[in-house]
Amino acid sequence: MRVVNVPTPRASRGNLLVATRVSLISSGTEKQLMDLAKTSLAGKAMARPDLVRQTLRKVQTDGLRPTVEKVFAKLDTPIPLGYSLAGTVIELGNGVSEYAIGDRVACAGAGLANHAAFNSVPKTLTARIPDTVSDEDASFVTLGAIALQGVRQASPTLGECVAVIGLGLIGLLTVQLLKANGCKVLGFDPDTDRVKLAEAMGADLAISQGLQDAATEMSGGHGADAVIITASTPSNAPLNQAAEISRLKGRIVVVGMVGMEIDREPFYKRELDLRLSMSYGPGRYDPDYELLGHDYPLAYVRWTEQRNMSAFLQLIADGQVTPRPLITHRFPIEEGEEAYALMARGDPHLAMVLTYRDQEQTSTNHTPSHRSAIPIEGEIGVSFLGMGNYAKSVLLPEVRKHQQINLAGVATATGISANHAGEKYEFETIATDAKAIIKSDRTDVVFIATRHDSHADLAISALEAGKHVFCEKPLALKIEDLDAVMAAASSAPGLLAVGFNRRFAPLTRRAYAVLRQRSGPLVMTYRVNAGRLSSDHWIKRDEGGGRIIGEVCHFVDTLVALCGALPVDVQAVAARGYDDALSALIRFADGSIGTIIYSSLGDPAVPKEYIEIFAQGKIVQLTDFTHLTICFGGKVSRVKKAQDKGQAALIADFLSAIRSAGHPPIPYNELAAVTETTFAIEEALRTGQSVGVETGPLYQESEVS
């Protein structure tokens, strides 16, 4: 737990850059995160069995070593705290017209509205603060929206009796919201201080014991019309208490994190309606809404999370909700660690806020120097754009194995991971401005490991700046972007490489050596047990380009390398209802054919990738880059190795080519043809027709690796 100085984030598309004035510590949620962070690996595993299952599936599909590397890279990632703040807009990203510089806004979102002097927050997770509402009151916006959504789920009507179990921050705000709605409110919490505070904030009755008798008396013997549970405990007691005090056909809403094992009898006999409240409201956990700014029509979704935020702020302005009396401690951000030490000690507290000095600096502070270094003759300055799990667990470790490499700079969207990489790996410069890293005289090579939709623009910028470029796949998401990248590469002094690593795997190269001595075509099958991705996974959104462009490109490239010819045309069909369960038939210029069977419908117990090739009396089989079988002349030979998908060899070839002023690891015509083939596969799926792969003049015939 520490306070660190990191580069100021940039206002990306659809985002506002906000200078924070006050941020609210949600002691319940944040203490749970603190406690989890302090536990051992075994403790983490017990707390998150869902991630354990995910890890085991990853071992089955990708192997033990790659999975371990990715898991530890993830565990090593610093996590920003906070998710509710008030501040002032100082920069607008593209596509934001709803706000102006200088507007006061309240912001929500874990990992977005952090305890930080500056935050880049999507526009749908912000709400304008009324002039009469203070920054401190507005900083409660996220908890207020959570409480308000819980009240909406309870559907209270004027005069109903509603019980609130758990009088923490959300529970106390819920009490006020229910009173504003004209309800009789019964509050319950074992903490007598919170009981007194609930009464001061408007509860008709607040108690620390005798809940059932109190509910019976307040409701005239019928039981509570609705019960809202805002407690936080693994115990099942709050839920079953709620059932005991509810009237026939009453409503129970679970807002807090409580045990969910119910006693069937009271639920059955009273025919109770059990509802769960999804955090701030509709839009929560929907990346199209939260990250891309696609709002829901008001006529069909009246209360989104942003509208809940605005409604809560207006209730404060109207004097019906008063959060400020809940604040027990205030700390300047520089002393933020003390606030968490207070929580860890268990000192009495309720709401704690962090305050920030007026920020005279603007969003220009994107490239603070991390350390100074004296240039060394023959050293290659390597910079990274993006520092996600793959960059940390695969690309960076491989780069660092080479001699005379200087880690010149790293840029990430938020600056937190850049700062962490700068400290751990001693990058010279950390930044949130990718273009500044590209332009730096200390940068010779740029590794692009950002989200897919930024690859083309960053590659073009780096090539035009005279840098060598290693771009993680895919190279582009659109044909016009691909053409622009190839045009830049053809005229640039630097080399361009793409992370098509499988052709560099030792067993792939051995298979190619067996197949190269032939005069006829190949018949190739590449079966991929891809595994499922959730429908909202970023690869399936616009920023990822989909699984065909984003992943199938690997397999197209491997077939190109094995047969040594470029694709000519493509046919493709998909299983009904699935865009990631398909078969693509590719015809190559030398007469070879290749079928890629890519499916999300399999089981991880089966190896992820299997290649089988028929060639003039030879059969070559490659299983998951660990087993190679060669059948020829009635004899069978087998080779077994630890899994190696070629990342190390690709990076070594790339750096060697830079030092020797040699050729790029993969010829440009192949890079372009592979990417264009993925576009053709998508078009073939849309049209049901055979689609040609046309290579333009920039990348026609050249030597095939």
Side-chain angles (χ1 to χ4, degrees):
M1 178 69 64
R2 60 195 181 113
V3 178
V4 296
N5 287 316
V6 303
T8 304
R10 299 189 70 87
S12 56
R13 180 174 182 80
N15 279 31
L16 317 173
L17 185 62
V18 177
T20 308
R21 298 289 179 254
V22 180
S23 62
L24 175 71
I25 295 176
S26 177
S27 55
T29 300
E30 295 185 41
K31 189 175 187 304
Q32 286 178 344
L33 188 59
M34 287 171 54
D35 292 342
L36 179 62
K38 293 176 182 177
T39 61
S40 64
L41 279 176
K44 289 180 172 66
M46 292 177 65
R48 292 299 303 273
D50 56 322
L51 295 182
V52 173
R53 291 191 293 270
Q54 183 179 331
T55 301
L56 293 175
R57 289 195 297 269
K58 196 77 173 172
V59 170
Q60 290 179 302
T61 57
D62 290 7
L64 178 61
R65 181 181 172 184
T67 302
V68 169
E69 289 172 344
K70 290 178 181 178
V71 166
F72 278 94
K74 190 70 173 178
L75 288 171
D76 193 43
T77 301
I79 300 174
L81 294 173
Y83 61 89
S84 191
L85 63 84
T88 304
V89 178
I90 62 170
E91 185 181 309
L92 301 175
N94 292 334
V96 178
S97 58
E98 298 87 346
Y99 295 95
I101 304 298
D103 283 351
R104 295 173 61 235
V105 292
C107 309
L112 298 167
N114 305 315
H115 297 311
F118 297 97
N119 286 282
S120 179
V121 186
K123 61 183 182 182
T124 46
L125 289 174
T126 61
R128 188 174 280 102
I129 301 173
D131 292 341
T132 57
V133 175
S134 70
D135 290 335
E136 283 195 345
D137 280 339
S139 71
F140 282 77
V141 67
T142 304
L143 296 186
I146 293 171
L148 184 52
Q149 179 62 16
V151 171
R152 295 196 193 286
Q153 286 293 86
S155 304
T157 59
L158 195 67
E160 280 195 317
C161 175
V162 183
V164 179
I165 297 179
L167 297 175
L169 287 178
I170 294 177
L172 291 167
L173 292 174
T174 300
V175 167
Q176 289 195 309
L177 292 170
L178 288 168
K179 289 305 298 179
N181 200 65
C183 298
K184 293 189 294 182
V185 181
L186 167 64
F188 174 80
D189 196 290
D191 188 324
T192 55
D193 289 335
R194 294 188 178 185
V195 165
K196 293 176 183 177
L197 191 54
E199 289 181 332
M201 299 190 78
D204 295 279
L205 176 64
I207 55 175
S208 59
Q209 55 186 350
L211 177 59
Q212 188 163 2
D213 291 340
T216 300
E217 182 177 350
M218 179 177 282
S219 64
H222 300 293
D225 296 290
V227 182
I228 301 177
I229 303 172
T230 54
S232 179
T233 172
S235 170
N236 304 308
L239 185 57
N240 291 313
Q241 280 180 313
E244 293 292 344
I245 66 171
S246 292
R247 67 166 170 82
L248 184 67
K249 297 185 180 293
R251 302 164 325 263
I252 298 175
V253 177
V254 178
V255 176
M257 295 180 63
V258 296
M260 294 292 291
E261 294 182 11
I262 66 172
D263 294 334
R264 181 179 183 276
E265 193 73 4
F267 278 87
Y268 172 73
K269 286 191 172 181
R270 292 184 174 89
E271 201 173 31
L272 298 176
D273 184 357
L274 177 61
R275 307 173 184 178
L276 271 69
S277 180
M278 192 174 69
S279 195
Y280 326 156
R284 189 71 181 112
Y285 309 115
D286 179 355
D288 285 338
Y289 177 91
E290 292 191 323
L291 302 182
L292 300 183
H294 298 162
D295 199 2
Y296 303 150
L298 183 145
Y300 295 94
V301 185
R302 178 61 184 92
W303 294 111
T304 60
E305 53 186 324
Q306 185 183 47
R307 292 171 196 139
N308 276 339
M309 292 165 64
S310 295
F312 176 74
L313 294 173
Q314 189 58 51
L315 286 167
I316 297 175
D318 294 340
Q320 295 182 290
V321 178
T322 55
R324 196 179 306 184
L326 301 176
I327 298 174
T328 57
H329 297 79
R330 294 171 176 84
F331 298 89
I333 181 63
E334 294 82 2
E335 300 173 14
E337 294 171 38
E338 177 56 31
Y340 292 91
L342 182 152
M343 280 196 292
R345 293 193 301 267
D347 293 357
H349 66 279
L350 193 53
M352 297 191 292
V353 296
L354 300 179
T355 59
Y356 302 76
R357 294 175 296 182
D358 288 342
Q359 304 294 337
E360 295 181 358
Q361 59 181 317
T362 64
S363 58
T364 57
N365 182 28
H366 298 299
T367 56
S369 177
H370 185 75
R371 69 182 181 96
S372 59
I374 300 173
I376 299 175
E377 184 69 26
E379 204 172 47
I380 297 177
V382 175
S383 292
F384 274 77
L385 308 182
M387 191 49 63
N389 216 31
Y390 187 75
K392 286 190 298 184
S393 64
V394 178
L395 297 179
L396 183 56
E398 291 298 336
V399 168
R400 296 178 70 232
K401 290 177 183 178
H402 293 266
Q403 300 296 317
Q404 290 190 296
I405 293 293
N406 173 51
L407 297 180
V410 57
T412 65
T414 63
I416 295 175
S417 55
N419 181 73
H420 180 65
E423 291 181 337
K424 183 171 183 177
Y425 304 110
E426 297 187 319
F427 279 92
E428 283 184 19
T429 302
I430 59 174
T432 53
D433 185 354
K435 299 296 175 69
I437 294 293
I438 290 172
K439 293 176 182 177
S440 170
D441 293 338
R442 299 288 282 145
T443 297
D444 301 308
V445 183
V446 176
F447 275 73
I448 299 172
T450 52
R451 294 283 171 97
H452 297 170
D453 58 344
S454 64
H455 286 185
D457 285 344
L458 292 175
I460 292 169
S461 296
L463 289 166
E464 290 179 345
K467 314 300 183 182
H468 303 285
V469 175
F470 184 106
C471 182
E472 247 314 295
K473 54 80 190 168
L475 187 54
L477 301 185
K478 299 177 182 178
I479 188 64
E480 55 267 29
D481 293 337
L482 173 63
D483 289 340
V485 174
M486 300 314 301
S490 67
S491 59
L495 298 180
L496 171 65
V498 179
F500 295 144
N501 51 276
R502 283 158 173 78
R503 66 161 65 199
F504 295 89
L507 293 184
T508 306
R509 285 178 158 173
R510 187 158 181 170
Y512 175 71
V514 172
L515 297 169
R516 67 184 302 176
Q517 301 299 324
R518 61 183 174 85
S519 58
L522 301 178
V523 175
M524 302 175 287
T525 300
Y526 202 137
R527 191 269 299 146
V528 185
N529 180 24
R532 296 181 181 179
L533 290 182
S534 62
S535 59
D536 62 352
H537 193 282
W538 71 267
I539 287 180
K540 290 190 170 186
R541 304 198 300 267
D542 291 345
E543 60 194 307
R547 301 189 80 175
I548 295 172
I549 295 174
E551 187 177 1
V552 172
C553 55
H554 266 313
F555 317 125
V556 174
D557 179 75
T558 307
L559 296 184
V560 168
L562 287 169
C563 76
L566 299 181
V568 174
D569 57 40
V570 169
Q571 300 175 47
V573 292
R576 185 173 59 193
Y578 292 90
D579 57 4
D580 54 3
L582 59 101
S583 177
L585 174 63
I586 305 171
R587 188 165 60 89
F588 294 86
D590 69 341
S592 297
I593 57 172
T595 301
I596 297 175
I597 301 171
Y598 181 89
S599 177
S600 63
L601 304 179
D603 185 277
V606 174
K608 181 180 178 181
E609 298 175 45
Y610 173 78
I611 305 170
E612 188 168 52
I613 307 160
F614 297 82
Q616 292 184 313
K618 301 175 183 177
I619 298 178
V620 176
Q621 299 167 325
L622 176 57
T623 303
D624 236 11
F625 304 95
T626 60
H627 294 76
L628 178 67
T629 302
I630 301 168
C631 304
F632 178 60
K635 298 180 180 179
V636 178
S637 62
R638 294 182 174 87
V639 179
K640 181 179 179 180
K641 288 181 175 290
Q643 188 179 64
D644 184 342
K645 293 186 178 181
Q647 290 97 337
L650 169 56
I651 291 173
D653 283 9
F654 176 56
L655 295 176
S656 176
I658 291 171
R659 293 188 186 279
S660 64
H663 297 290
I666 303 174
Y668 290 171
N669 62 337
E670 296 185 29
L671 291 181
V674 167
T675 304
E676 189 176 342
T677 299
T678 61
F679 300 157
I681 292 173
E682 289 205 326
E683 186 177 348
L685 289 173
R686 285 194 302 268
T687 64
Q689 303 294 318
S690 176
V691 177
V693 179
E694 298 179 4
T695 54
L698 291 174
Y699 37 87
Q700 282 186 339
E701 295 183 10
S702 66
E703 181 182 354
V704 177
S705 63

